[in-house]
Each structure stands twice: as structure tokens, then as C-alpha cells.
Amino acid sequence: MWKEIEPAPADAILGLTEAFKKDNNPKKVNLGVGVYEDGQGKTPVLKCIKAAEKRLLETQTTKGYLPISGDPEYSLGVQELIFGAESDVIREGRAVTVHSPGGTGALRVGGELLKKFKPNAKLWVSSPTWANHKGIFAAAGFAVEDYPYYCPETHGVAFDAMVACLEKISPDDVVLLHVCCHNPTGVDLSATQWDRVLDIAVKKGWIPFLDFAYQGFGEGVEADRIAVEKFAAAGIDFYVASSFSKNFGLYCERTGALTIVTTSKEEAETAMSHVKTIVRVNYSNPPSHGGLAAQIILQDEALKEQWMGEVAEIRERIKAMRKALVDGLAARGVDQDFSFIIEQRGMFSFSGLSDEVVAWLRENRAIYIVKGGRINLAGLTPSNIDYVCDSIAEALKR
Ligand code: LMR
């Protein structure tokens, strides 16, 4: 059957990693995929995860299935993390959470659930957005549209244009919003801008779907949830996709959660009954290991504190690399002003490097950057920063 079939294109992000792995250049640098590397260029297992895994190994008595929605204690841990332990949403039982295979799984399950009950809805994503968003929602059956988000001239949010578009979105539609550390731009909404977006959501009645993949990478685990708290306080329906790939370093364990917020406990129970039917026909029930490790950490004050400290270290290392890149380019006499990179948040910078420069860096210096110019700053280390700065400076001068 495959004789007549054309190969599919490589994935824009993970395909780059495949090419990187095959590259024999000893100086190669992967600034593509959003995976954290420490100062030695390794993606570490967090110490709190090692401790939790040890405890899990010693105490786990069964490998029986988890419930379709995952362990209820995990769901509570996720809700406390994204809303705050004192949140009314939790007290009133207005939200339900299913343990999903990563943030991607959460987005897809949420997409299928929405499509089931809103078959004519369009799904709106920021322009630009994570390369996989459109594919996930298109695969769930949505027509996907863009709303303006990034302004290349100011390197900030094109807020007036964004608001003008959000004002016109139909109440039947769904709007995907990045809670913090916007992927790919690194440019986030301010608290006041979030208030405005929330006002529009309430007034127009479209459904907000919050992608929360980088909690802790912006300002801190608690500070980063400010938008989620605002939406929770508004008493409206919305969705949150959480990923623990980055903040718990659980990339390969595919650990995440979908939280559906409704306006009453009864509605939340109805939502849970339907989301379980979607999970059952997709992957039946979630993989347990990463979720159980995260659950141990979230339930243990000392481990949780250790985790928050480790997330802070990651955040600060990435911030230091932002500055090192900007200073390094300036020191090499690059005319272009890259100081905006310091203000961006999270793992990524929408660097403004053209596709020609990105291609030149890959072909001539084995430096891998996603098309469109997104740089993963967590791939920069004290050992490769000079090489990367020299190479970018040379590419820009050519
Ligand atoms: C990224 O944006 O690079 C990460 O979220 C990894 C992925 O799955 O694309």
C-alpha cells in the first residue's frame, strides 16, 4: 500500500532533533526543541524526582491500571498547583482534572471533548503559536484560525490588534491562550492585559482554553498562575492544559493534566463523565510513573520546597543565558539590537533571526534553530555561548 504514498514532512521541532542527532559535527548545538539543559549541556533528572521515584519503588505494590481519569490525589495536586490550594473552584468542586499523557495529550483530549459538543466551533490560536497547536486541534476536527499576538517591530504583544480580533470571535468558538512563557515568542500578557482579555471572554462568551506548559519558568510557580486565578474567579467555563515535561523535567514520562472548569459541581461531574469516554477510546487510562512521582512531590512539603528551588535554579540559569547571548552579540559588534531577548520569559526567544540565517547556522555551524527564528535559550551553556555568539555574528554580517 505504501508504493504510491509520499512521505510526510518531518516534524518542525522533533524532526530537527532527529537531524541534530545524526550530525557528526563535534561543535553542534541544539537550540531547537524546548528541552532544558543544565550548564553542562545535560537534561538532568530533578533531585526531587529521584527522591520521589525512590520512594515510589519502595512503596509501590501494584502495576494495576489507574482509573480512566488518573489518581484523584494527582488531580487534586494539579488543581492546587494551578488555582492555589485555597481556591473557591476547588472548594466548590467546580473543576475536574484528568491525568493526561503530557500537555499534548491534555490539549487533544480537551479538543475532542469540545468538538463533541460544539461541532461547529472554530479554534483560535495566537499568531504565532507552538508549531504543534494547529495540528492537534485540526486532528480533533477543528477549523483553526489565528488571532494577532506578536508585533515584530516592538518585540511585544500586538495587544490592540489582538483585542480587536477577540472582540469579534463568536460565542461558539474556543480561544487558546498561553498562560505564561509564550511559545514561541517569550512575550506574555501583563496582568492588566489579562483583565481585558478576561472581560472580553466573559462578554462574548467564547471558551478560553489555557495552555499552561511552563508554570514556574516565568516569575515563579505561584506568580505564573495569575491568569488562571483570574479566570477561576470569574465563574466561567474554561479549560487548562498542564504539562509537567518542563517544570518537573518529566519529558519522556508524558505527564500532564486536563482541567475542565465549569460553573457548578453537577456540571463538573457531567464533564468528567464525558471526558472519560474520550480518554477510554484514545489511550484507555494514563501512564502512571511520572504522575505518581509528581504526586509524591506535591503531597510532601519538603519535596515540594525542593522542587520549587530546582525550578528557580532552572529559571535563573535561562535568564543568565538570555543576558549572556545579548551581551555576547553586542560585544561582537552586531548592529542589531537584541536587548529585547532579556525581557522575554521562559525557555524561548523569538530572536528575529531570518530563515536564511537559521539555515546558514545549521548548514555551516551545526547550530539548530527552529524555522521562524525561535531559540531555546536553555540549550545555551557557558561552553557553547561563545561559539553560538561568534556564529550568529558571522551569519548576520554575511
Ligand atoms: C517545544 O516547543 O519545543 C516543546 O514543547 C517540545 C515539543 O513537543 O514540541
Side-chain angles (χ1 to χ4, degrees):
M1 81 176 254
W2 296 100
K3 279 195 189 68
E4 308 300 326
I5 296 175
E6 292 289 323
D11 182 78
I13 295 174
L14 299 184
L16 206 60
T17 301
E18 286 168 25
F20 174 81
K21 284 189 176 151
K22 287 189 199 137
D23 194 322
N24 292 324
N25 187 330
K27 289 189 152 176
K28 65 183 179 177
V29 183
N30 190 359
L31 305 180
V33 68
V35 172
Y36 176 76
E37 290 181 7
D38 61 17
Q40 285 69 49
K42 298 271 177 298
T43 301
V45 180
L46 299 190
K47 293 189 192 76
C48 58
I49 288 288
K50 279 280 185 205
E53 285 181 315
K54 188 162 178 283
R55 200 178 295 175
L56 187 57
L57 270 185
E58 284 162 5
T59 55
Q60 196 171 40
T61 54
T62 179
K63 291 285 184 188
Y65 294 124
L66 286 182
I68 295 176
S69 53
D71 188 318
E73 290 292 315
Y74 175 81
S75 299
L76 179 62
V78 170
Q79 291 191 8
E80 290 183 346
L81 196 60
I82 63 176
F83 301 123
E86 307 303 322
S87 170
D88 286 348
V89 167
I90 302 178
R91 199 172 40 78
E92 293 160 9
R94 283 198 284 123
V96 283
T97 297
V98 293
H99 174 175
S100 62
T104 303
L107 292 164
R108 178 66 189 263
V109 169
E112 288 197 15
L113 184 68
L114 281 156
K115 186 71 192 168
K116 183 170 171 184
F117 295 105
K118 288 186 157 278
N120 301 319
K122 281 190 271 193
L123 186 292
W124 294 78
V125 294
S126 62
S127 174
T129 195
W130 176 43
N132 208 20
H133 272 150
K134 288 188 181 178
I136 291 170
F137 288 99
F142 280 96
V144 181
E145 303 266 352
D146 293 323
Y147 60 84
Y149 187 80
Y150 183 70
C151 172
E153 285 78 37
T154 62
H155 303 289
V157 178
F159 194 62
D160 290 346
M162 176 181 178
V163 160
C165 182
L166 296 184
E167 291 270 13
K168 291 199 191 112
I169 291 178
S170 146
D172 288 330
D173 289 355
V174 183
V175 178
L176 189 79
L177 297 153
H178 301 228
V179 177
C180 67
C181 309
H182 183 271
N183 180 2
T185 67
V187 173
D188 287 341
L189 297 180
S190 67
T192 330
Q193 288 173 331
W194 274 117
D195 287 336
R196 183 83 191 279
V197 169
L198 175 57
D199 278 351
I200 301 171
V202 173
K203 189 175 74 186
K204 299 297 296 186
W206 43 254
I207 297 199
F209 198 142
L210 309 182
D211 190 349
F212 205 3
Y214 295 90
Q215 185 171 6
F217 276 50
E219 299 301 323
V221 169
E222 285 159 12
D224 287 353
R225 67 176 175 230
I226 170 176
V228 185
E229 289 171 350
K230 285 175 187 289
F231 278 77
I236 56 170
D237 282 87
F238 67 99
Y239 290 63
V240 185
S242 304
S243 167
F244 290 166
S245 298
K246 319 292 184 316
N247 52 11
F248 281 87
L250 286 168
Y251 302 91
C252 67
E253 300 294 355
R254 309 309 302 135
T255 310
L258 172 69
T259 299
I260 304 159
V261 185
T262 67
T263 55
S264 71
K265 190 168 188 312
E266 293 69 36
E267 287 176 15
E269 280 163 9
T270 305
M272 179 56 111
S273 70
H274 285 286
V275 79
K276 280 162 68 179
T277 67
I278 307 268
V279 168
R280 179 65 172 140
V281 297
N282 272 288
Y283 53 88
S284 189
N285 47 72
S288 77
H289 184 80
L292 293 179
Q295 188 177 323
I296 288 172
I297 294 168
L298 293 174
Q299 287 177 328
D300 180 304
E301 276 311 312
L303 280 178
K304 193 170 169 196
E305 204 170 302
Q306 182 181 12
W307 169 63
M308 285 171 115
E310 290 188 80
V311 175
E313 262 176 49
I314 290 175
R315 189 172 61 240
E316 294 311 317
R317 198 191 91 70
I318 300 175
K319 279 190 187 162
M321 284 298 117
R322 287 186 180 279
K323 182 151 182 357
L325 179 62
V326 173
D327 291 350
L329 292 175
R332 282 159 180 84
V334 170
D335 293 339
Q336 221 169 308
D337 177 15
F338 282 102
S339 57
F340 62 88
I341 291 180
I342 294 182
E343 305 307 321
Q344 297 169 334
R345 300 181 341 150
M347 266 184 160
F348 304 117
S349 167
F350 215 44
S351 63
L353 296 180
S354 68
D355 287 344
E356 284 91 335
V357 167
V358 168
W360 188 89
L361 288 167
R362 175 173 166 177
E363 279 154 28
N364 298 283
R365 293 292 178 271
I367 296 174
Y368 287 71
I369 296 175
V370 179
K371 197 162 173 248
R374 185 194 83 170
I375 291 183
N376 170 26
L377 292 130
L380 292 172
T381 67
S383 322
N384 67 26
I385 185 79
D386 283 333
Y387 176 66
V388 170
C389 289
D390 286 342
S391 305
I392 295 179
E394 188 182 344
L396 289 172
K397 278 180 197 148
R398 288 172 65 86

